[in-house]
Amino acid sequence: CDTEFIPRTKHLTILGLLARFADGTVSGLQVDWRTAHPSVREEIKYHYRNLSKSTRFIFHNCRADIPVLEAVTGVGFQDYKQFDDTMLAHAVLWCELPHGLEFIASLWGHYGKLKHLKDSNELLYNFGDVLETDAIWFHITEESFKHDKEAETIYRSQHLKLAPILHGTVQRGLRINQERVRRARLEYEADVENAGRLALATAGWPINLNSAKQLGQY
């Protein structure tokens, strides 16, 4: 499952679904939510709610997709029979590598690259993401987890279970000691100014402390 949405408002624009059956065949569905007839939307929402109770859903970054889908279908993290996440699984298997769909697909994907079509053909772009998510999950389950059971245990017992918890903190916000944060900000700003003065005195002229190259050189 993959969604496209407006980043600022989180409104769904495109929904892409792909089903893999036991005999290896696949079937897909794509809907442009902006132009779909209301009756089509309602039918999809009805079937999506039923599927979530009986079917495993595979996402790439569930914390992005599930909240968008929840706003439309009412299906939240707690309502899925089971969901998995290729991004979180890859993060456990290869923590030192990037975890974006485009990068993982360059290693484990089965299809031609369609990421460059985001602005020119959003439906085809979404279709590519759905296909690659399925291909990546197939590789993870058939290859990676079979050879690294401990990684799968960490993924299922920690990373996957943390996803709804972290989503909840975003929704609720975090309680903080505001006065302590204000004091700490002043302390850290003073530390930054002192570091800048020390760097200036050492180098003989201003250098950019955010530049690893300049800092390493001096």
Side-chain angles (χ1 to χ4, degrees):
C1 179
D2 185 69
T3 66
E4 309 302 330
F5 54 88
I6 301 171
R8 182 175 59 83
T9 63
K10 307 299 183 184
H11 286 164
L12 177 67
T13 56
I14 294 176
L15 171 61
L17 295 168
L18 183 145
R20 178 180 288 275
F21 299 97
D23 62 0
T25 60
V26 296
S27 178
L29 170 70
Q30 270 188 302
V31 182
D32 189 326
W33 209 254
R34 297 160 294 190
T35 59
H37 191 275
S39 62
V40 173
R41 293 186 185 183
E42 290 304 315
E43 184 173 1
I44 290 173
K45 288 191 283 186
Y46 171 79
H47 289 297
Y48 191 93
R49 285 192 287 266
N50 287 334
L51 281 171
S52 68
K53 299 173 185 177
S54 60
T55 305
R56 179 209 303 264
F57 276 72
I58 311 299
F59 299 95
H60 186 86
N61 192 2
C62 62
R63 287 184 57 202
D65 287 326
I66 290 180
V68 171
L69 289 166
E70 183 178 11
V72 171
T73 66
V75 179
F77 282 94
Q78 71 284 354
D79 300 311
Y80 289 88
K81 176 186 178 182
Q82 185 175 353
F83 64 87
D84 279 288
D85 191 313
T86 52
M87 184 181 75
L88 295 179
H90 187 265
V92 176
L93 289 163
W94 300 97
C95 60
E96 71 278 11
L97 296 179
H99 311 305
L101 183 60
E102 184 174 12
F103 175 80
I104 304 175
S106 72
L107 302 174
W108 296 343
H110 295 171
Y111 307 97
K113 307 312 174 191
L114 301 174
K115 278 292 189 181
H116 62 286
L117 299 176
K118 181 172 178 59
D119 296 323
S120 59
N121 192 334
E122 196 174 20
L123 276 171
L124 191 55
Y125 165 85
N126 174 264
F127 182 62
D129 283 359
V130 174
L131 286 173
E132 293 294 26
T133 298
D134 172 69
I136 291 167
W137 183 248
F138 185 80
H139 179 94
I140 288 172
T141 54
E142 295 301 314
E143 297 291 337
S144 300
F145 280 163
K146 282 188 176 181
H147 300 293
D148 195 341
K149 291 296 185 182
E150 290 185 4
E152 183 176 10
T153 299
I154 293 171
Y155 160 73
R156 297 204 175 280
S157 64
Q158 298 180 31
H159 286 60
L160 205 58
K161 288 186 176 182
L162 272 173
I165 296 173
L166 293 173
H167 171 67
T169 65
V170 172
Q171 294 298 102
R172 294 188 304 273
L174 296 174
R175 182 177 297 172
I176 63 171
N177 183 333
Q178 296 186 40
E179 180 55 38
R180 178 68 189 97
V181 171
R182 281 191 285 267
R183 292 199 308 270
R185 179 179 178 179
L186 294 175
E187 293 169 7
Y188 289 134
E189 286 177 346
D191 288 343
V192 170
E193 291 179 3
N194 289 334
R197 285 193 288 268
L198 179 61
L200 171 63
T202 304
W205 52 77
I207 65 171
N208 180 8
L209 294 182
N210 291 320
S211 168
K213 181 177 180 180
Q214 289 189 33
L215 199 59
Q217 177 182 349
Y218 285 100

